[in-house]
Amino acid sequence: TSGLDASTSLVVCDFLKDLADICSTTIISVVHQPRYEIFKKFDNLILLAPGGKVVYSGPMSEVRDFFQSYGYIVPPNCNPADFYMDVIAADSQIVSAKKGMTVQNLIDESKRRFDAENASYVPQHFSEEFIAQRERTSHMAQFIMYLARNMRLFYVRRPARLLLEALICCGGACLLSFALPSRTFFQVSAQYALGGLLFVLFTHFAALPTFGPEHTIAMRELNSGFKKFAYFMGKDVASFPKVLYLPVLFSLQYTIIAPNVMYYEYLLVFLSMAYASFGSGILLSASLNEATAQMAAVLASFTYLLFSGYNPDLDTIWAGAPCKIVGEIATGISPIRWALDALLATEFERSTEFWRLCTNFAIYKSGFNADVLLYVKCVIMLGLGVVFRAVAFLVFCRTTRL
C-alpha cells in the first residue's frame, strides 16, 4: 500500500481479504502504518524489529494480550498498529512499560514461545527420514517444466521485444546491403565482415535476457533442490527459436547482394554463426549483471571482428601474438572468422577463371583456407556454440552457489 492514500489502501485490503476467503488461499502482505480498519482485517501478524528480528508472530487476536503481559498497554483512542510500531522503535517518550523491560526482552520471549510450541512437533512430511526417502522430481520433468515456463516468458509475455528484434534484424541487413556494393574481393570481404559484426550484435542482445534479470530467482529455486542442469538447459533450449528465425530474417539480404554462394549455404553459415554467437551471449548473461553484460556484448562483438581476419589479416594477427598458438586461439573463437572464411572461399570458388586466380591469391594472403569445405567450418562454429554454453554452465553453477 506504499504510495496509496488511506481510503485506497482500505479498498485494496478489502479486495485481498475477499480473495483470500473466496479462494481459501494465503496472502502475505507487508504494510507500513496501516489504519485501524486495515490492521484488524489480518488473521495473523508478524512484527519485526530492526535487523529482521521477530518481536511477535501469532494470531491477531492475541497480540494485545502479549504486549499487555509486558506492561505495554494500548492507550484509549490510539491505533494499535501505531502503538506497536512505537514499542518496536523503543520510543520511551511515547510508550511506557514495566521497569527494565526492553524490546530485546520481547524478541527473546517470542523466540522462547516459538521453541516451546514447536519442540515436540515434527510433522511426518518434515522428518529427516521422509526427506531422505522422498521421491524427487526427475531431471527430465524439471527440464520440461523450465522449458515450458521459459517459452511463455520469451515468446508469449514479450511480443513487443520479439517484434523489435525482428525489425532491427531485417532493417539492419537490408541497409548494410544497400550501403556496401560487392564487386571486388575487398568489397565482398567488407560486406561479409560487417554483416557478421551486425549479426553477432543482434544475437548477443537477443541472448542477454536469458539469465540477466533472474539471478535472484535462480538462486532461490536451485538452492531449494532443483537441478542446475535442468534449469540451464530449459533456458538454452527455449532460446532455439531465436537461433532459427534471426538468421532467416537476416538472410533477406541475400536477394539484394546476389552472391555466388547458394542460398541454403548462405543460410547454413548464418545459422551456425547464430548458434555460436548466441552461446557467447548466454555466457555474458550468466557471468555479468544486465547493464555490464550489454557493454561487454558490444566489446565482444567488435573483438570477434578484430580477430576475424578481415583487417588485419590472420597471418598478421598470428605474427603479432606472443606465440602463434595464442593467436590461433584468439582467431579460432571468433564466429565471424569462420563465417567469413566459409563465405569468401565458396564465393570465389564459383567466380570466373580470372577472378578465381586473383581472389585465390587474395584469400591465401589473408590466411583463410579455401581447401576446407564450408560444412566443416559450419561444424566448427557449432562446436564453438557448445563450448560457450559449457563455460556458461560452469559460471552459472558458480554464481548461483550460496
Side-chain angles (χ1 to χ4, degrees):
T1 58
S2 298
L4 301 179
D5 59 74
S7 299
T8 308
S9 298
L10 180 58
V11 171
V12 172
C13 290
D14 281 335
F15 172 77
L16 294 177
K17 177 69 173 176
D18 293 341
L19 184 64
D21 293 339
I22 294 172
C23 299
S24 299
T25 188
T26 300
I27 296 178
I28 301 175
S29 303
V30 179
V31 293
H32 305 278
Q33 294 181 319
R35 57 190 286 180
Y36 178 67
E37 291 85 348
I38 294 176
F39 183 69
K40 68 180 182 180
K41 289 183 180 295
F42 291 94
D43 299 310
N44 293 281
L45 178 68
I46 297 178
L47 296 174
L48 300 178
K53 298 179 180 179
V54 177
V55 174
Y56 176 81
S57 176
M60 178 68 75
S61 58
E62 298 177 10
V63 63
R64 185 183 293 267
D65 294 337
F66 174 80
F67 278 92
Q68 284 183 352
S69 66
Y70 291 95
Y72 294 103
I73 301 174
V74 181
N77 303 320
C78 178
N79 182 0
D82 292 335
F83 178 79
Y84 299 144
M85 294 304 295
D86 291 336
V87 172
I88 293 173
D91 194 335
S92 59
Q93 296 180 354
I94 299 177
V95 298
S96 58
K98 292 179 182 179
K99 187 175 181 180
M101 182 60 63
T102 65
V103 176
Q104 187 60 45
N105 297 128
L106 296 177
I107 295 171
D108 295 339
E109 175 61 16
S110 178
K111 185 176 186 303
R112 187 194 66 76
R113 287 179 55 180
F114 178 82
D115 292 340
E117 291 172 359
N118 294 276
S120 59
Y121 177 62
V122 181
Q124 173 61 29
H125 56 282
F126 286 142
S127 65
E128 293 183 3
E129 294 81 4
F130 178 82
I131 292 174
Q133 299 175 4
R134 67 179 177 174
E135 182 179 353
R136 295 184 179 272
T137 307
S138 66
H139 281 74
M140 180 58 67
Q142 292 186 24
F143 164 73
I144 293 173
M145 179 195 72
Y146 282 123
L147 176 61
R149 187 177 76 178
N150 288 309
M151 291 294 284
R152 290 194 301 271
L153 180 64
F154 291 163
Y155 307 108
V156 178
R157 297 183 182 178
R158 299 174 179 174
R161 184 184 182 94
L162 287 176
L163 179 60
L164 181 62
E165 289 175 355
L167 291 175
I168 293 177
C169 190
C170 292
C174 293
L175 287 175
L176 179 65
S177 303
F178 285 120
L180 290 176
S182 52
R183 295 186 182 88
T184 67
F185 171 80
F186 300 103
Q187 290 173 336
V188 174
S189 300
Q191 177 79 258
Y192 286 141
L194 296 182
L197 170 64
L198 194 62
F199 186 71
V200 168
L201 277 171
F202 290 156
T203 50
H204 269 164
F205 279 95
L208 289 184
T210 305
F211 292 104
E214 296 190 20
H215 274 94
T216 303
I217 298 174
M219 289 186 66
R220 184 186 66 218
E221 293 186 353
L222 298 176
N223 288 287
S224 298
F226 288 95
K227 305 300 182 182
K228 294 184 178 183
F229 186 72
Y231 186 96
F232 182 89
M233 289 304 299
K235 286 279 190 183
D236 184 29
V237 175
S239 68
F240 277 10
K242 291 185 178 182
V243 176
L244 295 175
Y245 80 75
L246 286 175
V248 172
L249 293 175
F250 197 84
S251 66
L252 291 176
Q253 69 169 183
Y254 180 89
T255 58
I256 301 173
I257 62 176
N260 292 314
V261 181
M262 300 296 291
Y263 177 75
Y264 73 89
E265 295 173 326
Y266 189 84
L267 181 59
L268 180 61
V269 169
F270 276 93
L271 282 170
S272 304
M273 184 163 57
Y275 184 76
S277 56
F278 215 96
S280 174
I282 290 176
L283 174 57
L284 295 175
S285 177
S287 308
L288 307 168
N289 62 56
E290 202 167 6
T292 307
Q294 291 177 357
M295 294 185 289
V298 176
L299 179 62
S301 301
F302 279 92
T303 302
Y304 290 152
L305 176 64
L306 178 65
F307 291 103
S308 67
Y310 166 61
N311 188 15
D313 58 50
L314 296 178
D315 288 335
T316 303
I317 295 173
W318 296 335
C323 61
K324 187 174 181 180
I325 190 171
V326 173
E328 289 179 345
I329 292 174
T331 57
I333 63 173
S334 169
I336 302 177
R337 175 263 170 102
W338 294 108
L340 194 62
D341 195 339
L343 291 173
L344 285 178
T346 307
E347 174 80 26
F348 294 108
E349 182 184 342
R350 296 168 184 166
S351 301
T352 63
E353 187 66 27
F354 173 76
W355 277 108
R356 189 180 300 117
L357 292 173
C358 296
T359 55
N360 279 347
F361 177 73
I363 290 175
Y364 174 77
K365 288 282 289 182
S366 67
F368 295 134
N369 192 342
D371 297 327
V372 179
L373 295 176
L374 176 143
Y375 306 104
V376 175
K377 296 165 186 175
C378 289
V379 171
I380 292 175
M381 286 189 280
L382 294 176
L384 278 178
V386 173
V387 172
F388 284 140
R389 284 164 173 79
V391 176
F393 177 68
L394 296 177
V395 173
F396 174 71
C397 291
R398 183 174 181 83
T399 56
T400 52
R401 185 187 305 167
L402 283 179

